[in-house]
Structure formats: structure tokens, C-alpha cells
Amino acid sequence: MTGPDRQLLEVRLAQKDLVGILALPVGSVSEFEFTYDPAWLENGYPVSPHLPFNEDIPPRNVRNFLENLIPEGKGLDELLENTTIARANVFALVGRIGTETAGALSFTAPGFQQEASSFRVITDEEMGQRLQNAGLITYWDGRTRLSVAGVQDKLNILEIGDQFGLGEGELCSNTIYKFESGRVPNIVVNEAFTMALARRTLDQVATTRITTFGGVRTLIVDRFDRRYLLDENRVSRRHVIDGCQATNLPSAYKYERQNGDGPDARMYRDGVSLPKLAAVQTNDQLTYHRQLVQWVVFNVLNRNFDAHGKNISFFVGRRGLQLTPFYDLVNIEALYREAEARQDAEALSAQGRDQSTPRFYAMSIGEYEAGTPGNFEDPMTAFALADFANTLGISLERMQLLTLDVINRITQALPYALKEVEEMGLTKAERAHVELCKEIVEAACAEMMEEAKQIPSMKDFL
């Protein structure tokens, strides 16, 4: 079908090089077609393992890739509120935010002319007023500015020197501002502390810092897929995909138990899992698997129950896939304990998980046989870690070495991470929350240390 029978969007890299054409028949919301441009086939690379060169690409693969570019939660609600676009119209939603998706791809109508580069400065006062008035934080100057997935209130922001604001043309965002809401107090300092700890423990972790607008605590995350070039007055962009895109799953499958953690749903385990992530082919599998193990162990030690498939990503280029710096690392246990102390049911469910079972990890560690409920709960035993190692194809001795290394690094890093966030200027409540995070991590390290000692002895049980 051609002409008026199809809707078309041009897919470009950094709004310049034509990657291909996205098409959708009129009257359909799911029969997507994606065709690479001949020049891109000659000189480019597949933008996803599931959108390959020189093969028929199933419509489901295209839809899954696109759907993961769309914001979740309040950001999506605000996007829909200011348009007549239906929630199921992925094509239109991607086109709506198409020049500022995660990474480097843009989706625009044929003949679209890139806007001239401009920088619209936002003052501290303007941002504070917007937050205090509970306005649409993602809707500025007649358009929606959010394009990164997630349920927390976020805003894509361009920082140039000591100014921040909204960019157009070649001046796209290079940071993400994450705002604290009354539903989950202390989440900003929680993430700042956990990320500071991770930067001293894992190979690569996004840079973060704390600020305040109108009394609202805000975490600023430097985007690893963007870099402002002062001499050229533009932002360079690097293509990335998240774990859902890398495993060809929709965002609704970002948790391994895609239907929830309830008793009747636990056996459904078709979402993003550690075996699925381990099977992703990168340009260095040995390094990737080591980093994956370290990420898993770190999340267990920090009781990060929300390390799902959209909280891990990959750079994509001519050399293939490479793990990006880690991000969105939070001590969920500390947030739950404070919520329980307040007896605040709304805060308990604010992370998007089943309130009745809040302490299940997003992915099972070990126990990967079909028809089993998996191993989603603490304590993570020596057998669970050995089973995970067996799935990855690494020796139990190496699994023990990696686990002990993360424990030792975290233990040594705790005082330095604490000092780093204290220098950001903490309130009394925030200081107490960071201490709670520290206590949780210390107890988890002691617990896992005993299990790690037994990992090699699990060989006979596998």
C-alpha cells in the first residue's frame, strides 16, 4: 500500500542521516512496517537486534521497539491530555515526541524541516512556581517535553554552563530532572546516595546531583547518551536501547512476572529476565556478563526490588551492542520501611508494584526451570547465586569472586558515598534516611558474605 493508504514517518539519526521509513496502514494501530534506507544499509547498522538488515521484520518487533520509546505514568497522561491521540496509537505518540526520544533516533513526517537551534532558559523561580502549582511539569510552550520512560515525574533539560532550559534544533536535552513528590518522600536523596555508592562499586554509573526548586527536591542526572559540544553549540547524540527493546518485549513485560507477583500470577514468567538479558549479544560477552553479575549483586545488597528491564540499557553502533552506564539505582527497602512507619498505603504502591507483595525482585535470581515460581525474595542463598552462575556459563569460583568483590567494594565505599551526599546539603530527615539506607546495605552485605562463602560447594546440587 502506498500514498493515502499508509501513514509515514522518517526515522533519522540525530535528525540528519536517514535510517529508514516507518509505515502504518490507515485503519491499523499495529501492522507496522519498517524499511531501512539503501544508503543506511550500506553505511549504517541495525538500530536493534530485532530490526535486522536484509530480513523481513515482523510488525510485533517494530511495535515493541516503538512502544518502549513512549513515556510511562504521569508523563504519558500529560501527553494524552494535551492531544486527541489515543493511548493505543503508538505511531502518533512516537511522532508527537519524535525529535527527542531516548538516544539518537528521531521520527518525523516526510519533508519535516528541523527547527533552528535555540535555547529557552528556565529560571529557578519559574521552575519552582511550576512545581508548587502542581502544573503539567512536562508541558512547556505548547508542547510535551518528556520522552524518557519511567513513572517518576521527570523533565528533559538542556544545561549550558550555569543555565538550564529547553533546547530546539540541534540543542536537545543533556540532563534529566527527576522531581520528588509527596507520595514517596526522600526518594531523591535515596537515589543520590545509592548512585554515589554505585559509582564507587561498579564500572560505569551515571552522574547525579541534588538541587531544590521551590522547596521540591530534584535529582539531576547527566545523560550518558548526550554531550554538549561548546565549540559547535550543539548536542551530540548516541543511539541506545533498553532491556525491553534488546529482548524484543513491550514495556508491559519489563518485570519478569509480567502479570504481577500475586499467587495466581507467579507462574507467568515471560517478561525480561536475567537469562534473557544474558542472551543479548554484545561486542564483548565476557565483560558484559561480569558487569551483569555485578549489577545483580549490587541491586540485592541495596534491596533494589525495581531493577526491571527498562532500567538497563545498551549503546548500539557499528561494533554492535555495549552496556551503558547503570542508572535508576534505588534502595527500595528503605522507602518501604519509611512508608510502613507512616502507614502510608499510597506510598507503598507508588513504585508500580503489587502492594501486597512489595519485596519481590523484578527478576528471579536462579530457579529458571519452566513451571517454577522462581527465586524473587530474600535471602539470596548460595544455591541461587550458583544457579545464576550456571545459567551464565561461568564457574562457581568466579561467581564467588565477583560476589565477594562487590561486597568488599560497597563496604569500603559506604563512608565516601555518605560524605558525598552530605556535601549536597541534607535536611535532618534526609540524613536519617541515608543512615537507614546504610544500615540496610551493611546488614545485606553481612548476610550475603556468608552465602558467598558457600557458592563453590553448591556444584553437587546443580
Side-chain angles (χ1 to χ4, degrees), residues 18 33 55-56 95 100 144 154 162 165 171 199 203 239 300 354 360 371 400 411 413 432 443 452:
L18 181 61
E33 303 168 20
E55 295 182 28
D56 290 335
E100 249 281 39
T144 300
K154 303 175 186 177
D162 59 357
L171 290 174
R199 282 191 291 274
D203 285 359
H239 181 43
V300 172
D354 186 340
F360 286 149
Q400 180 188 52
T411 302

Side-chain angles (χ1 to χ4, degrees), residues 196-205 290-291 294 297-298 301-302 401-417 441 445 449:
L197 194 59
R199 282 191 291 274
R200 291 167 173 79
T201 305
L202 305 176
D203 285 359
Q204 297 183 80
V205 178
R290 172 181 60 79
Q291 293 172 325
Q294 292 170 325
V297 173
F298 181 89
L301 295 177
N302 283 270
L401 180 65
L402 291 173
T403 303
L404 291 174
D405 180 59
V406 174
I407 293 172
N408 290 331
R409 288 189 184 193
I410 284 185
T411 302
Q412 295 171 11
L414 277 169
Y416 297 99
V441 172
C445 285
M449 178 71 77

Side-chain angles (χ1 to χ4, degrees), residues 250-432:
S251 62
Y253 281 62
K254 65 183 180 181
Y255 296 105
E256 182 174 342
R257 286 174 171 167
Q258 75 273 16
N259 294 335
D261 300 315
D264 297 333
R266 295 181 185 182
M267 307 302 282
Y268 295 95
R269 298 170 55 191
D270 305 300
V272 179
S273 64
L274 292 175
K276 286 186 174 71
L277 286 175
V280 173
Q281 294 300 302
T282 68
N283 56 28
D284 185 345
Q285 286 299 95
L286 289 177
T287 298
Y288 168 51
H289 282 173
R290 172 181 60 79
Q291 293 172 325
L292 187 63
V293 169
Q294 292 170 325
W295 178 68
V296 169
V297 173
F298 181 89
N299 283 323
V300 172
L301 295 177
N302 283 270
R303 299 301 190 250
N304 182 11
F305 306 121
D306 211 41
H308 52 66
K310 296 191 72 64
N311 283 343
I312 186 170
S313 291
F314 303 83
F315 291 120
V316 185
R318 288 181 176 84
R319 296 182 56 204
L321 272 63
Q322 176 187 351
L323 199 62
T324 70
F326 294 115
Y327 57 96
D328 282 3
L329 300 169
V330 182
N331 190 319
I332 301 295
E333 175 67 22
L335 297 174
Y336 279 134
R337 288 192 190 182
E338 286 196 348
E340 289 169 343
R342 296 191 306 271
Q343 296 183 338
D344 188 340
E346 181 181 0
L348 278 173
S349 61
Q351 290 297 315
R353 303 298 303 278
D354 186 340
Q355 181 183 335
S356 64
T357 55
R359 286 168 172 81
F360 286 149
Y361 288 96
M363 304 178 202
S364 176
I365 300 176
E367 197 174 326
Y368 300 118
E369 295 79 9
T372 64
N375 188 37
F376 291 82
E377 299 177 83
D378 288 317
M380 287 300 164
T381 64
F383 179 79
L385 295 170
D387 196 12
F388 176 38
N390 192 48
T391 300
L392 286 179
I394 64 176
S395 69
L396 301 191
E397 289 75 16
R398 179 159 175 74
M399 183 68 188
Q400 180 188 52
L401 180 65
L402 291 173
T403 303
L404 291 174
D405 180 59
V406 174
I407 293 172
N408 290 331
R409 288 189 184 193
I410 284 185
T411 302
Q412 295 171 11
L414 277 169
Y416 297 99
L418 183 61
K419 181 180 179 182
E420 180 179 328
V421 294
E422 284 180 334
E423 290 175 349
M424 296 178 187
L426 303 185
T427 66
K428 182 178 180 181
E430 288 175 331
R431 183 65 170 78

Side-chain angles (χ1 to χ4, degrees), residues 82-129:
N82 289 283
T83 72
T84 59
I85 299 173
R87 189 177 294 268
N89 194 341
V90 172
F91 183 92
L93 289 170
V94 169
R96 177 72 174 177
I97 59 173
T99 60
E100 249 281 39
T101 60
L105 297 184
S106 63
F107 299 78
T108 56
F112 172 83
Q113 296 296 316
Q114 179 176 292
E115 297 181 50
S117 296
S118 63
F119 181 39
R120 192 277 208 202
V121 175
I122 300 175
T123 65
D124 288 5
E125 292 74 20
E126 183 180 11
M127 181 69 80
Q129 289 174 1

